[in-house]
């Protein structure tokens, strides 16, 4: 199922007067605030978020999964779905594959389909948190940290295989997330688990092509509920330093204990040049993988404030990899991803409104009230007309969810694929 640009421009016509009214009102008030509107529009246009190949079907929990009709049953169909997202939002310009959930059978055919959907391949993800049908051993008690050297080598070889596959597709980075840990005190020797994990990651790092990056994703708990080897940013940071200059920490927003100050972690990692990328999502309690900005939009804004400051000041930190990592238990997966992209663009646009020099001066002067005024003036600015204008300038939809529904995309996907197809992934 494909949609075409002219269908989107047709739909945009219905709302363009309303949009232009709201956009000119906003840009006039921003110009009065000495904001460079065209600079922000360019930043928004250039901001591309990778879509997870494992989040294009309905997600679920151990308590159940309610499938969504018209799910993509193959990687080819997943790339077409991301192509639809990209046409509607101009913000979904790449895909992050999870191996073996999405192994391309025919690399050149997959590259063709990606190209025809204007998609690049972002980080590839290895998977040593599930046993594969043909496996003679198990990752039940760990993979890169497993006390059994044969199992560790199996996991290392899998990661090297994933890098080879990613390299053939044009990807330039590997994301490693380990479920490794323990469920009970005494079950695991913390020091040897960390030491073995470090050695395994160093082995993988050395096997990567010279221009590749390694992203080490941390998580405090689940599926292990007493300890996780790579439990927090500090452990990931240590392991990245132990690997080398092309190893970085990956921040999944859902991988923090309640009330963790994530924006401070982001600032610290950028100052140290070790912030590799993000898995954007939102959560109320644990690793809920909910729609970005649906629970804590102000926290997301504060993170983007640190990112904007860091991208201006920390040349030692490469541009982070922007990726979504969400699971859709009750929403149409594509509508959920559109809402996540919108929330990311809004938080970024609001953060770009902040006069970082004015804020620095207020901080120097210990003018605490003014610091908050500067932040909240930006946060309380309705930047949606800006985000819409950036889409319009790139021939995308002014109102992507409305356009998705008006084009009856889900209906067409169901007509094409039926109601029983199940997408691989979470
Ligand atoms: C772990 C995680 C990781 C992925 C998985 C799908 O919770 O965030 O990034 O490998 O979800
Ligand atoms: Mn993640």
């Amino acid at each position: 199922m494909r949609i075409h640009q002219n269908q989107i421009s047709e739909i945009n016509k219905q709302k363009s007067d309303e949009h232009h009214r709201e956009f000119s009102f906003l840009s006039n008030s921003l110009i009065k605030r000495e904001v460079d509107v065209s600079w922000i529009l360019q930043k928004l246009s250039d901001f591309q978020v990778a879509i997870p190949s494992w989040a294009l079907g309905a997600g679920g929990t151990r308590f159940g999964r309610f499938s969504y009709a018209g799910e993509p049953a193959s990687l080819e169909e997943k790339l077409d779905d991301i192509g639809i997202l990209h046409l509607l939002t101009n913000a979904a310009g790449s895909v992050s594959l999870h191996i073996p959930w999405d192994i391309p059978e025919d690399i050149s055919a997959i590259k063709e389909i990606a190209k025809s959907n204007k998609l690049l391949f972002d980080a590839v993800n290895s998977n040593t948190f599930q046993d594969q049908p043909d496996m003679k051993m198990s990752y039940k008690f760990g993979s890169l940290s497993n006390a059994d050297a044969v199992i560790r080598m199996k996991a290392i070889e899998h990661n090297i295989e994933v890098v080879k596959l990613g390299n053939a597709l044009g990807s330039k980075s590997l994301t490693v997330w380990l479920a490794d840990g323990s469920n009970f005190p005494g079950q695991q020797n913390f020091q040897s688990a960390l030491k073995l994990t470090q050695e395994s990651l160093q082995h993988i790092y050395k096997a990567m092509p010279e221009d590749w990056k390694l992203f080490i994703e941390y998580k405090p708990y689940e599926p292990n509920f007493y300890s996780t080897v790579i439990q927090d940013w500090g452990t990931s940071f240590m392991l990245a330093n132990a690997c080398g200059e092309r190893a970085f920490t990956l921040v999944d927003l859902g991988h923090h204990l309640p009330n963790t100050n994530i924006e401070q972690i982001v600032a610290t990692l950028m100052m140290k040049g070790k912030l590799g990328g993000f898995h954007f999502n939102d959560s109320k309690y644990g690793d809920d993988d909910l729609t970005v900005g649906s629970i804590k939009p102000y926290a997301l804004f504060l993170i983007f404030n640190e990112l904007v400051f860091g991208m201006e000041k920390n040349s030692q930190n490469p541009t982070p990899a922007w990726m979504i990592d969400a699971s859709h238990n009750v929403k149409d997966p594509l509508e959920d991803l559109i809402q996540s992209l919108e929330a990311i663009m809004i938080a970024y646009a609001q953060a770009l409104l902040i006069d970082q020099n004015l804020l620095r001066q207020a901080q120097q002067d210990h003018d605490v009230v003014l610091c908050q005024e500067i932040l909240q003036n930006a946060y309380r600015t309705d930047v949606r007309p800006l985000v819409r204008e950036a889409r319009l300038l790139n021939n995308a939809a002014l109102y992507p969810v409305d356009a998705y529904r008006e084009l009856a995309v889900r209906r067409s996907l169901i007509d094409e694929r039926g109601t029983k197809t199940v997408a691989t992934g979470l």
Side-chain angles (χ1 to χ4, degrees):
M1 195 271 171
R2 295 276 175 113
I3 59 175
H4 302 284
Q5 214 120 46
N6 53 14
Q7 292 176 288
I8 294 175
S9 346
E10 272 318 301
I11 292 173
N12 283 347
K13 284 196 187 109
Q14 299 157 16
K15 294 265 184 77
S16 63
D17 296 353
E18 172 196 303
H19 162 66
H20 285 302
R21 248 195 331 278
E22 291 177 3
F23 175 63
S24 43
F25 175 79
L26 174 63
S27 41
N28 293 338
S29 71
L30 291 179
I31 289 162
K32 284 199 200 87
R33 285 157 61 174
E34 291 167 17
V35 171
D36 180 343
V37 172
S38 53
W39 175 74
I40 294 186
L41 288 172
Q42 192 54 54
K43 288 280 186 187
L44 295 175
S45 301
D46 298 342
F47 197 89
Q48 294 297 315
V49 182
I51 304 297
S53 64
W54 60 92
L56 291 159
T61 72
R62 59 187 168 165
F63 301 104
R65 180 182 180 281
F66 305 94
S67 85
Y68 214 90
E71 291 191 21
S74 65
L75 180 53
E76 290 77 0
E77 291 182 349
K78 288 185 176 190
L79 295 177
D80 284 346
D81 287 7
I82 300 172
I84 292 170
L85 281 180
H86 195 37
L87 265 176
L88 289 170
T89 65
N90 184 58
S94 62
V95 56
S96 182
L97 295 188
H98 216 298
I99 308 295
W101 289 336
D102 295 296
I103 295 184
E105 261 118 49
D106 175 339
I107 295 263
S108 51
I110 285 294
K111 287 173 86 170
E112 258 329 292
I113 295 171
K115 195 153 162 254
S116 68
N117 283 297
K118 298 192 179 61
L119 301 176
L120 302 172
F121 289 93
D122 205 309
V124 283
N125 298 263
S126 60
N127 177 343
T128 58
F129 50 87
Q130 293 172 328
D131 291 345
Q132 302 313 314
D134 59 352
M135 266 174 73
K136 308 232 173 343
M137 60 196 77
S138 172
Y139 291 138
K140 178 176 179 180
F141 296 111
S143 61
L144 298 183
S145 72
N146 198 300
D148 180 324
V150 176
I151 296 176
R152 289 199 307 280
M153 189 41 76
K154 172 81 180 166
I156 290 169
E157 282 158 4
H158 164 70
N159 278 277
I160 294 174
E161 276 312 302
V162 171
V163 169
K164 282 201 189 98
L165 199 57
N167 206 35
L169 289 166
S171 171
K172 289 290 179 211
S173 50
L174 168 70
T175 296
V176 174
W177 168 68
L178 300 182
D180 293 30
S182 64
N183 268 326
F184 300 96
Q187 174 189 340
Q188 186 176 56
N189 178 290
F190 296 139
Q191 296 196 18
S192 76
L194 184 57
K195 183 171 165 299
L196 294 171
T197 300
Q198 178 170 312
E199 289 163 4
S200 301
L201 286 171
Q202 288 170 323
H203 190 139
I204 295 166
Y205 181 84
K206 291 196 188 79
M208 290 193 319
E210 287 301 311
D211 60 350
W212 268 57
K213 291 185 186 134
L214 172 63
F215 299 147
I216 302 171
E217 184 176 1
Y218 58 90
K219 183 175 181 177
Y221 71 94
E222 189 204 40
N224 278 296
F225 295 104
Y226 171 63
S227 73
T228 297
V229 178
I230 311 181
Q231 59 164 325
D232 61 9
W233 75 270
T235 309
S236 165
F237 177 70
M238 249 180 351
L239 291 166
N241 282 319
C243 287
E245 64 188 16
R246 290 177 291 107
F248 302 89
T249 292
L250 186 139
V251 178
D252 183 313
L253 298 186
H255 293 184
H256 300 90
L257 298 175
N259 309 325
T260 299
N261 186 327
I262 303 175
E263 56 270 25
Q264 185 180 11
I265 294 172
V266 168
T268 304
L269 289 169
M270 289 198 94
M271 191 179 90
K272 292 294 182 181
K274 280 296 183 190
L275 178 67
F278 279 87
H279 279 180
F280 291 114
N281 48 52
D282 210 339
S283 51
K284 178 98 178 121
Y285 304 104
D287 187 19
D288 310 342
D289 280 344
L290 298 175
T291 315
V292 182
S294 60
I295 307 290
K296 308 187 287 282
Y298 191 56
L300 183 69
F301 161 75
L302 294 174
I303 288 168
F304 268 94
N305 173 40
E306 295 304 331
L307 287 169
V308 167
F309 177 81
M311 288 194 277
E312 222 169 274
K313 299 277 186 259
N314 308 128
S315 54
Q316 69 274 30
N317 199 98
T319 304
W322 316 112
M323 296 172 275
I324 290 173
D325 183 1
S327 174
H328 324 289
N329 301 354
V330 291
K331 290 181 180 180
D332 176 320
L334 297 181
E335 290 187 340
D336 197 340
L337 289 164
I338 291 171
Q339 290 184 315
S340 281
L341 290 165
E342 177 81 356
I344 291 167
M345 289 298 168
I346 287 173
Y348 186 32
Q350 290 167 327
L352 289 169
L353 292 183
I354 298 167
D355 181 329
Q356 294 289 341
N357 300 328
L358 199 65
L359 179 60
R360 288 296 294 118
Q361 191 52 55
Q363 289 163 342
Q364 302 288 357
D365 305 343
H366 305 305
D367 187 341
V368 183
V369 169
L370 180 56
C371 292
Q372 183 171 319
E373 286 302 307
I374 293 168
L375 281 188
Q376 297 200 334
N377 278 344
Y379 180 69
R380 292 175 175 152
T381 302
D382 180 0
V383 295
R384 291 176 296 175
L386 258 178
V387 174
R388 285 202 299 268
E389 180 67 10
R391 283 196 292 266
L392 190 62
L393 291 171
N394 293 281
N395 306 315
L398 281 171
Y399 300 89
V401 170
D402 297 354
Y404 176 86
R405 292 184 172 196
E406 191 158 338
L407 292 166
V409 174
R410 182 55 59 184
R411 180 69 262 154
S412 309
L413 292 174
I414 294 169
D415 295 347
E416 209 177 279
R417 298 167 182 172
T419 61
K420 298 280 175 285
T421 49
V422 176
T424 56
L426 274 184

